[in-house]
Amino acid sequence: MRTIIVDDEKLSRSVLKLLLEKHCPAVNIVAVCADGISALEAIEKYQPDLLFLDIEMPGLNGFDVLKACKDASFSIIVTTSYDHYALDAIRHNALDYLLKPIIRDDLVDAVDKAMARRQQKVQPGSKSDTSILEVLHQHLYPGERLALPSPEGLRMLLVKDILYCVADGETTLVHLVNATEPSLVCRSLKEVEGQLKNKGFFRVHHSYVVNLNYMDRYIKGDGGDIIMSDGSCIPVSRHRKQEFMDRIEKL
């Protein structure tokens, strides 16, 4: 599929391009654009099958681009850091809606949907195109929640919003995206780790479990350190280092 990536953030463009090249062999990236104007030019030139489109961009934003090519036959996958654009994306016949940082399995699933639509020759927004309803369902029910006991009662936490967890004696401090203070839960880190198993988390240290989707970079050292997307520095223990390195190579 001829594919165009549109995002004003250089890192986001690079990460998406790398993920597509590594995990989506059906994708042929014909253009990578940093703004809406160059995106429209690339769409006119290459007549893509698939468009990855960021929303918040200077000048023409993502929805401006979609309005300019509203009758286009290509599939649109919205990529953004903000979940409040979901309904607008659906109104513009988006095939899928990926929140940054983009998870590999979600990306592969979205590309598979685009392939299926192309092979079936389904027009975006048609009655037989059920992917729009799927996207709506995903964002009305936006992910798995954990019910964790707190000193006040129960805390309902979205798994996708958990940055990392820190042992605090027999309790755990759960650090969340866009939260100024961690949430205290009355469970040991080992118990919390068990509830997060197979959800993209890894215990890098006896005191830390991290969400690998929010890892910004790794700094070499005896065990090394992880810098998270919020700037937090998390140590990696020596005896977990090799297992950690093996795990991130699979991301």
Side-chain angles (χ1 to χ4, degrees):
M1 290 184 293
R2 296 183 306 278
T3 301
I4 295 174
I5 295 171
V6 186
D7 199 308
D8 67 319
E9 297 178 352
K10 183 177 180 180
L11 179 60
S12 295
R13 295 194 301 270
S14 300
V15 169
L16 179 55
K17 184 172 184 290
L18 181 63
L19 287 171
L20 288 170
E21 290 173 343
K22 187 173 182 180
H23 302 293
C24 303
V27 165
N28 174 28
I29 300 171
V30 295
V32 178
C33 306
D35 57 73
I37 296 295
S38 61
L40 291 176
E41 293 172 350
I43 289 168
E44 177 68 23
K45 179 178 180 180
Y46 294 106
Q47 296 296 304
D49 302 303
L50 178 60
L51 179 70
F52 285 91
L53 183 64
D54 187 23
I55 297 299
E56 291 203 349
M57 299 185 292
L60 291 182
N61 65 30
F63 292 128
D64 292 330
V65 172
L66 293 181
K67 289 174 185 175
C69 48
K70 60 182 179 180
D71 296 322
S73 60
F74 52 81
S75 294
I76 302 151
I77 298 175
V78 169
T79 61
T80 179
S81 301
Y82 307 97
D83 59 9
H84 57 268
Y85 290 123
L87 290 177
D88 281 336
I90 292 164
R91 293 189 189 104
H92 285 85
N93 292 330
L95 173 69
D96 214 329
Y97 185 99
L98 301 179
L99 283 174
K100 301 174 186 176
I102 293 172
I103 298 171
R104 178 193 61 188
D105 290 347
D106 292 344
L107 176 64
V108 172
D109 287 346
V111 171
D112 286 346
K113 286 182 192 177
M115 280 293 296
R117 174 189 275 178
R118 183 167 178 259
Q119 290 167 357
Q120 295 165 10
K121 297 183 179 179
V122 176
Q123 289 299 310
S126 68
K127 290 182 180 179
S128 59
D129 186 4
T130 59
S131 59
I132 304 304
L133 295 178
E134 293 171 2
V135 174
L136 178 59
H137 183 272
Q138 290 167 6
H139 291 280
L140 288 176
Y141 306 95
E144 183 177 353
R145 292 177 181 267
L146 292 184
L148 295 170
S150 70
E152 299 81 24
L154 277 178
R155 287 297 309 271
M156 301 297 295
L157 302 178
L158 275 173
V159 172
K160 71 180 182 64
D161 286 343
I162 299 174
L163 277 167
Y164 61 93
C165 306
V166 186
D168 186 32
E170 294 301 311
T171 62
T172 300
L173 294 172
V174 180
H175 291 255
L176 302 169
V177 176
N178 297 325
T180 56
E181 297 290 337
S183 294
L184 177 66
V185 299
C186 301
R187 286 284 186 269
S188 68
L189 185 62
K190 183 177 181 179
E191 291 173 305
V192 173
E193 178 189 13
Q195 291 186 261
L196 295 173
K197 188 176 181 180
N198 300 322
K199 303 182 192 302
F201 290 78
F202 187 80
R203 190 160 185 172
V204 296
H205 186 279
H206 72 273
S207 296
Y208 293 91
V209 170
V210 303
N211 187 340
L212 296 176
N213 294 309
Y214 290 106
M215 186 180 81
D216 183 61
R217 62 188 184 277
Y218 170 73
I219 299 174
K220 293 180 181 179
D222 192 17
D225 294 286
I226 297 170
I227 305 300
M228 302 297 288
S229 61
D230 69 340
S232 300
C233 182
I234 309 295
V236 178
S237 66
R238 282 185 298 170
H239 75 279
R240 296 180 188 269
K241 180 178 179 179
Q242 188 55 55
E243 186 182 357
F244 166 70
M245 298 303 293
D246 292 342
R247 175 69 180 274
I248 62 174
E249 284 180 2
K250 297 177 182 178
L251 292 179

